[in-house]
Amino acid sequence: MSTSTTASATYAQRIAFVCETASRLHTYGTTAQRLEGAVVVLAERLGLECEPWSNPTGLILSFSDPSRPLGASDTTRVIRLAPGENDLYKLAESDRIAEAVAGGAMSIAQGHTALRALDRNPSRLWRATQLLAFGLASGAVAGLWRLPWVDVATATAIGLLIGLQSLLNERRPRLREASDAVSALMAGIVAVLVSNLVQPLNLNSVIIAALVVLLPGL
């Protein structure tokens, strides 16, 4: 971190930025060991000592300022968080912002602003693109397995339905907890209906291809 950036940021501001970054990494699906390692490195580069502890529903971060007498600046933050979900884009952006702040390319205030910008509601174009990606991912897997065109079309259609459900779940937090089970049930029902009413399908392959979009990171 550059000297000018360090000088312009107070002890509390540096702690707040580390806490914000740690919360984002947790929310976006970083594993506990990687999160703790990243927090320690970021804190060191901001002139802090930090002992992090991560669990699926929260963080405990203990800070101290190595330039002050032992025990004079000890601070602990307990952060309650919901279990994280994999979001590779936001995870990469959070990492990039943290690196920029630690390297002096951004001030801590600019880093906070950039992190909070990740909370903006996605545009309609983004939602439409995401929905299309669900269908394409399922159809592509079915195509790679060289399934008949009806199987590929069915897997694609189920992928689109799962994508639509995923978008609807954003407004229904309670339903989100059961989204994987609901998606699997929906995939099975649609595949069986098509197989019985339209043309026999390779049911296992179609259902697996349709559900591939639920794999972490996709």
Side-chain angles (χ1 to χ4, degrees):
M1 182 179 179
S2 66
T3 304
S4 60
T5 306
T6 305
S8 63
T10 66
Y11 179 59
Q13 287 174 331
R14 285 178 283 158
I15 287 178
F17 181 75
V18 174
C19 290
E20 178 78 10
T21 302
S23 299
R24 300 278 175 171
L25 295 177
H26 182 284
T27 300
Y28 302 146
T30 305
T31 59
Q33 63 270 27
R34 291 191 65 184
L35 188 154
E36 292 175 359
V39 168
V40 169
V41 171
L42 176 62
E44 288 178 352
R45 295 175 70 177
L46 293 178
L48 301 170
E49 290 182 352
C50 180
E51 295 182 3
W53 186 76
S54 174
N55 65 75
T57 58
L59 295 166
I60 299 176
L61 306 174
S62 297
F63 296 95
S64 63
D65 188 340
S67 65
R68 299 183 185 180
L70 184 64
S73 61
D74 291 353
T75 303
T76 299
R77 294 283 188 269
V78 179
I79 306 171
R80 178 73 173 176
L81 298 165
E85 296 182 359
N86 290 285
D87 191 321
L88 297 185
Y89 169 73
K90 291 184 178 180
L91 187 60
E93 281 296 293
S94 298
D95 185 67
R96 180 188 65 79
I97 294 165
E99 285 291 330
V101 172
M106 278 186 183
S107 68
I108 286 181
Q110 290 171 329
H112 273 297
T113 301
L115 287 173
R116 288 167 185 164
L118 297 176
D119 294 331
R120 292 175 183 168
N121 291 327
S123 64
R124 291 184 178 180
L125 177 60
W126 184 91
R127 291 179 184 275
T129 303
Q130 185 185 37
L131 179 60
L132 180 62
F134 271 83
L136 290 177
S138 296
V141 172
L144 287 173
W145 290 344
R146 298 185 178 181
L147 297 178
W149 71 268
V150 176
D151 297 50
V152 174
T154 303
T156 301
I158 295 173
L160 290 171
L161 290 174
I162 293 174
L164 181 60
Q165 179 200 340
S166 176
L167 294 178
L168 294 175
N169 286 347
E170 294 178 2
R171 301 179 182 179
R172 296 175 175 83
R174 293 183 180 179
L175 183 59
R176 190 181 307 166
E177 296 295 329
S179 61
D180 288 354
V182 173
S183 296
L185 177 63
M186 179 171 58
I189 291 173
V190 172
V192 169
L193 287 175
V194 173
S195 184
N196 288 333
L197 301 178
V198 180
Q199 180 175 316
L201 303 174
N202 299 289
L203 285 176
N204 289 341
S205 298
V206 169
I207 292 172
I208 293 172
L211 295 177
V212 75
V213 293
L214 300 179
L215 291 175
L218 292 180

